[in-house]
Amino acid sequence: MRRHSGLIPLSHEHHDVLVVAQGLIRGRSPAPRSDWPPRREDQVARVVAFFDQVLQPHFGFEESVLFPLAERKMHRSAELVESLVREHDEVRSRLGTLRSDPKHDLDLRLPALGRLLAAHVRREERDLFEGLQRELDEAALDAIGVQLRARPASGPSCQPRHP
Ligand SMILES: [Fe+2]
Ligand SMILES: [Fe+2]
């Protein structure tokens, strides 16, 4: 299903999450021009900065606007929303641990975080966004876009891509 314009900024951020997740899983980026750092220690700094600039506000918007909307308007969304919130908490907790211990077992911890992030955004795209597009009317989907544009800009991914 083609993504509704009201949800496109979030889908763009999901794409950025997937790129970071691939770097965490593989360790190196397959793209020769990528600026993904090859050293695991530097990847910690990269993912912490990405979390602060992009993920934290992204999660915040989902939790304050999108999830409550889904719970009000989407059939049988309670379980889905509950597990998505649990995954947000799991990501936050892993980021907290990376800040306090940015050195040990990175070859295990970073790929595990990457897999969690990738699975999370894929599930949101497939189950949450598809469901919202099926069950919400045009005005409600447009309203999401309006609220997204009202977010304070907090990172490169929060800027409009096609002004
Ligand atoms: Fe999410
Ligand atoms: Fe998301």
Side-chain angles (χ1 to χ4, degrees):
M1 193 187 290
R2 197 152 171 262
R3 200 47 75 234
H4 188 278
S5 61
L7 291 168
I8 281 180
L10 292 174
S11 284
H12 279 155
E13 289 172 12
H14 284 170
H15 172 77
D16 294 343
V17 174
L18 285 175
V19 170
V20 169
Q22 282 308 312
L24 293 171
I25 293 167
R26 293 168 189 238
R28 285 175 182 275
S29 170
R33 287 164 184 250
S34 161
D35 66 347
W36 182 253
R39 288 178 63 239
R40 283 299 197 186
E41 288 79 2
D42 297 332
Q43 292 172 15
V44 172
R46 179 68 73 93
V47 76
V48 165
F50 180 74
F51 178 79
D52 291 342
Q53 288 165 14
V54 179
L55 260 190
Q56 187 76 291
H58 180 98
F59 283 3
F61 185 85
E62 289 176 341
E63 288 168 7
S64 62
V65 176
L66 214 58
F67 295 169
L69 186 67
E71 284 179 314
R72 284 199 308 276
K73 308 242 171 160
M74 208 175 119
H75 290 296
R76 292 188 294 195
S77 60
E79 237 174 76
L80 171 65
V81 166
E82 201 180 297
S83 71
L84 292 172
V85 169
R86 265 202 309 274
E87 288 171 354
H88 284 188
D89 290 343
E90 176 69 23
V91 172
R92 288 190 179 106
S93 145
R94 284 173 190 248
L95 259 295
T97 315
L98 274 179
R99 285 183 214 267
S100 57
D101 172 9
K103 292 217 180 310
H104 295 101
D105 297 326
L106 296 181
D107 279 333
L108 291 175
R109 293 158 72 205
L110 293 182
L113 175 60
R115 287 191 293 273
L116 174 64
L117 286 171
H120 177 74
V121 301
R122 288 200 176 106
R123 211 146 66 86
E124 284 184 337
E125 288 286 332
R126 190 189 59 223
D127 297 342
L128 180 66
F129 286 16
E130 297 282 307
L132 288 171
Q133 289 192 198
R134 259 196 320 269
E135 299 188 40
L136 266 59
D137 58 27
E138 229 9 65
L141 291 165
D142 285 340
I144 298 171
V146 170
Q147 292 185 76
L148 272 170
R149 284 193 291 280
R151 282 192 302 182
S154 50
S157 294
C158 302
Q159 307 298 329
R161 307 229 167 169
H162 307 291

